[in-house]
Amino acid sequence: MAQLQRRLAEFAVARDWGKYHTPKNLAAALSVEAGELVEIFQWLTPDESVRVMAGEESAGRVEDEVADVLAYLLQFCEVLGVDPLAALAAKIDRNEKRFPAVENGHSMEW
Amino acid sequence: MAQLQRRLAEFAVARDWGKYHTPKNLAAALSVEAGELVEIFQWLTPDESVRVMAGEESAGRVEDEVADVLAYLLQFCEVLGVDPLAALAAKIDRNEKRFPAVENGHSMEW
Amino acid sequence: MAQLQRRLAEFAVARDWGKYHTPKNLAAALSVEAGELVEIFQWLTPDESVRVMAGEESAGRVEDEVADVLAYLLQFCEVLGVDPLAALAAKIDRNEKRFPAVENGHSMEW
Amino acid sequence: MAQLQRRLAEFAVARDWGKYHTPKNLAAALSVEAGELVEIFQWLTPDESVRVMAGEESAGRVEDEVADVLAYLLQFCEVLGVDPLAALAAKIDRNEKRFPAVENGHSMEW
């Protein structure tokens, strides 16, 4: 992941895109790509959504949007000095305390 | 990252959340969290957005939303069998051909 | 609708919020509120989503988010001089040509 | 607006799209379109965003996305029996009490 983050940073530098890459713009770009991921699923039933990788064209779109979301997430973290893996590990630790496993399925808000 | 993905999967299983975790729902949840990240920045100027980690409260919110976005991205990839790092590496390869570095700054659409 | 648009404009002027209300920021705010609307539905089945107005608390949340989305849409249109009703009427005209009724249900992309 | 809502409902019926138009799916579609609106602005400076209607192509895109957002908002409200103008009027009433004009500019959270 660190290597991908470096490749993305070099890619942006080589194209002089740094001036566009404010945290505000990268957060917006991330949400735009997340919207494009949702678009693939918007008219599908839950069952159809489970089978989305069975079609070559829709599988390709999913992989493409996953790549875009991750690309902007990593670039966002890069410009702000946030470690996304550490942030997630800390969050899982907190949530294991907040939602003990016995309350199964009650709250989906985490 | 694989370890975090496993912890998230175990977390969901222990709480019987699997039935909620269709690809469609996880994509929606990812976009909701991306929206919460945008919310932090929505009224900030570009310059203010660069300094968002200087305030303890806003830094904590950023880390929290980064964790949420990554958590849903990993869970989405898990249920569909998508490798996000491979997807991103393939995308960077393609984009290095599509956007040669000489056209610096012209197109931001990737 | 014109009256609501005027009340929103006066509300913003009275609080000196005009400087925040760039088209870029208002578009972001609109998408944040749309995300909050999605959040209400993210773990619901299609059938549960149909009954969302039956619960007083969830009905109130839906109305609240609808109000927020419309508020930012109207303010966005106001600052850019866009007439949303005319834009929609023109779009429906175009789509009635693009998607003749005989192709029922084939394309959901409009 | 009521007339546009009726045209949208007839349009969907004629194409047998009713089965896709659950509240959950329409909320997702609304957020996807809001994301497409944000996309127009994602790399623009605040000043550039103010001039977006000066370019014919970008002005057309803005009008198109405004139409899409409004179309899904009205269809969402239609299937749930929500009156968006009444919801917004009620919200403005509440906010006029919550944010007295004297506290100008302090809180943008409404």
Side-chain angles (χ1 to χ4, degrees):
Chain A
M1 203 164 100
Q3 190 200 333
L4 289 168
Q5 210 161 13
R6 200 164 49 244
R7 284 185 71 190
L8 288 166
E10 288 166 3
F11 192 95
V13 166
R15 283 150 192 81
D16 200 19
W17 286 356
K19 61 182 173 288
Y20 299 110
H21 282 190
T22 63
K24 180 180 172 109
N25 287 359
L26 290 166
L30 169 59
S31 82
V32 168
E33 298 300 339
E36 294 183 7
L37 191 65
V38 170
E39 192 179 12
I40 301 172
F41 296 95
Q42 65 187 347
W43 308 122
L44 302 186
T45 63
D47 284 350
E48 287 167 348
S49 89
V50 171
R51 297 192 299 270
V52 76
M53 300 307 285
E56 196 178 336
E57 193 258 339
S58 62
R61 283 178 71 194
V62 166
E63 285 168 359
D64 208 50
E65 297 306 339
V66 163
D68 287 342
V69 167
L70 184 57
Y72 285 122
L73 181 64
L74 293 181
Q75 292 177 93
F76 175 87
C77 287
E78 171 88 7
V79 300
L80 287 181
V82 171
D83 178 337
L85 298 180
L88 178 52
K91 177 107 191 197
I92 297 175
D93 289 345
R94 285 200 302 280
N95 279 348
E96 285 176 340
K97 282 171 201 141
R98 276 177 62 202
F99 304 110
V102 289
E103 305 182 25
N104 45 13
H106 283 182
S107 174
M108 289 296 295
E109 304 296 329
W110 88 317
Chain B
M1 203 163 101
Q3 190 200 333
L4 289 168
Q5 211 161 11
R6 201 164 48 245
R7 284 184 71 191
L8 288 166
E10 288 165 3
F11 192 94
V13 165
R15 285 151 191 81
D16 200 20
W17 287 356
K19 61 182 175 288
Y20 300 111
H21 282 190
T22 63
K24 181 181 172 109
N25 287 359
L26 290 167
L30 170 59
S31 82
V32 168
E33 298 301 338
E36 294 183 6
L37 191 65
V38 170
E39 192 179 13
I40 301 171
F41 296 95
Q42 65 187 347
W43 308 121
L44 301 187
T45 64
D47 284 350
E48 287 166 347
S49 89
V50 171
R51 297 191 299 269
V52 76
M53 300 307 285
E56 195 179 338
E57 193 259 338
S58 60
R61 283 178 70 194
V62 166
E63 285 168 358
D64 207 50
E65 298 305 340
V66 162
D68 287 341
V69 167
L70 183 57
Y72 285 122
L73 181 64
L74 293 181
Q75 291 177 94
F76 175 86
C77 287
E78 170 89 8
V79 299
L80 287 180
V82 171
D83 178 339
L85 298 180
L88 178 52
K91 177 108 191 196
I92 297 175
D93 290 343
R94 285 200 303 279
N95 279 349
E96 284 176 341
K97 283 170 200 142
R98 277 177 62 202
F99 304 110
V102 290
E103 306 181 26
N104 46 13
H106 281 184
S107 174
M108 288 296 295
E109 303 294 327
W110 88 320
Chain C
M1 205 163 97
Q3 191 200 332
L4 289 169
Q5 211 161 11
R6 200 164 48 243
R7 284 184 72 189
L8 288 165
E10 288 167 2
F11 192 96
V13 166
R15 284 151 192 81
D16 200 20
W17 287 356
K19 62 182 172 290
Y20 300 110
H21 283 190
T22 63
K24 181 181 172 108
N25 287 359
L26 289 167
L30 170 59
S31 81
V32 168
E33 298 301 337
E36 294 183 6
L37 191 65
V38 170
E39 192 178 15
I40 301 171
F41 295 95
Q42 66 186 347
W43 307 121
L44 301 187
T45 64
D47 284 350
E48 288 167 348
S49 88
V50 171
R51 296 191 300 270
V52 77
M53 301 306 286
E56 197 179 337
E57 193 259 337
S58 61
R61 282 177 71 195
V62 167
E63 286 168 357
D64 208 49
E65 297 306 340
V66 162
D68 287 341
V69 168
L70 183 57
Y72 285 122
L73 181 64
L74 293 181
Q75 289 176 97
F76 175 87
C77 287
E78 171 89 7
V79 298
L80 287 180
V82 171
D83 178 339
L85 298 181
L88 178 51
K91 177 104 191 198
I92 297 175
D93 289 344
R94 285 200 303 279
N95 278 350
E96 284 177 339
K97 283 171 200 140
R98 277 177 62 202
F99 303 111
V102 289
E103 302 182 28
N104 45 13
H106 282 184
S107 173
M108 289 297 296
E109 303 296 326
W110 86 318
Chain D
M1 204 163 95
Q3 191 201 331
L4 289 169
Q5 211 161 11
R6 201 164 48 242
R7 284 184 72 190
L8 289 166
E10 289 167 1
F11 192 95
V13 165
R15 284 149 192 81
D16 200 19
W17 287 357
K19 62 181 171 291
Y20 300 111
H21 283 190
T22 62
K24 180 179 172 109
N25 287 359
L26 290 167
L30 170 59
S31 82
V32 168
E33 299 300 338
E36 294 183 7
L37 191 65
V38 170
E39 192 178 14
I40 301 172
F41 295 95
Q42 66 186 346
W43 307 122
L44 301 187
T45 64
D47 284 349
E48 287 167 347
S49 89
V50 171
R51 297 191 299 269
V52 76
M53 301 307 286
E56 197 178 336
E57 193 259 339
S58 61
R61 282 178 72 195
V62 167
E63 285 168 358
D64 208 49
E65 298 306 340
V66 163
D68 287 342
V69 167
L70 183 57
Y72 285 122
L73 181 64
L74 292 182
Q75 290 177 96
F76 174 87
C77 287
E78 171 89 7
V79 299
L80 286 180
V82 171
D83 178 338
L85 299 180
L88 178 51
K91 178 105 189 198
I92 297 176
D93 289 344
R94 284 199 303 279
N95 278 349
E96 285 177 340
K97 282 170 202 144
R98 278 177 62 203
F99 303 110
V102 289
E103 304 181 27
N104 44 12
H106 282 183
S107 173
M108 289 296 295
E109 303 295 327
W110 88 317

